[in-house]
Amino acid sequence: QVQLVESGGGLVQAGGSLRLSCAASGRTFSDYALGWFRQTPGKDRELVAVISRNIGATVYADSVKGRFTISRDNAKNTMYLQMNGLKPEDTATYYCAARRGRITVAITQYDYWGQGTQVTVHS
């Protein structure tokens, strides 16, 4: 089992940057594919980016390609989301998630979730 804690959210002006972190407990962090997802009120939770266990294969939502970068440091049990060129439509609660096994974009396949961190982008 793994427990996840997000940090790094906040209020930022459009065009600005933020870096989210997701710290994980447990000794087998590298066994888990990881992902960032986001949700706004009244909408379904959606994919932002996912990253594989070891080789760092990644998949991004079209809406964030070229602006966001997902990464992980297995030695530190931490995943990151570098967000550049933020837009008001990026405003959401951002969640990190983990699943034991291979990378997937299917949100229902992620078993472990953090509590979320709020990102607000104002114009």
Side-chain angles (χ1 to χ4, degrees):
Q1 191 165 351
V2 63
Q3 293 182 324
L4 305 171
V5 179
E6 303 97 336
S7 61
L11 177 65
V12 64
Q13 195 168 10
S17 298
L18 282 175
R19 189 194 198 201
L20 305 184
S21 297
C22 175
S25 65
R27 296 178 294 173
T28 57
F29 183 72
S30 60
D31 287 349
Y32 293 83
L34 304 171
W36 288 99
F37 299 84
R38 66 187 182 186
Q39 189 170 23
T40 55
K43 293 188 177 180
D44 293 335
R45 197 168 295 186
E46 64 176 14
L47 167 75
V48 176
V50 294
I51 187 166
S52 64
R53 290 170 290 181
N54 288 306
I55 64 172
T58 58
V59 180
Y60 293 91
D62 288 344
S63 59
V64 306
K65 280 181 183 176
R67 300 188 297 123
F68 291 10
T69 302
I70 188 172
S71 62
R72 64 188 295 166
D73 185 337
N74 286 345
K76 295 182 178 179
N77 281 17
T78 303
M79 174 177 64
Y80 306 98
L81 185 68
Q82 179 66 44
M83 305 186 293
N84 299 329
L86 282 161
K87 304 175 181 180
E89 51 263 44
D90 294 318
T91 295
T93 301
Y94 283 71
Y95 298 89
C96 65
R99 71 180 300 268
R100 194 177 184 94
R102 299 178 67 178
I103 187 174
T104 177
V105 298
I107 188 171
T108 57
Q109 297 298 310
Y110 286 82
D111 301 308
Y112 305 102
W113 291 85
Q115 82 288 351
T117 185
Q118 178 66 34
V119 172
T120 302
V121 184
H122 64 88
S123 56

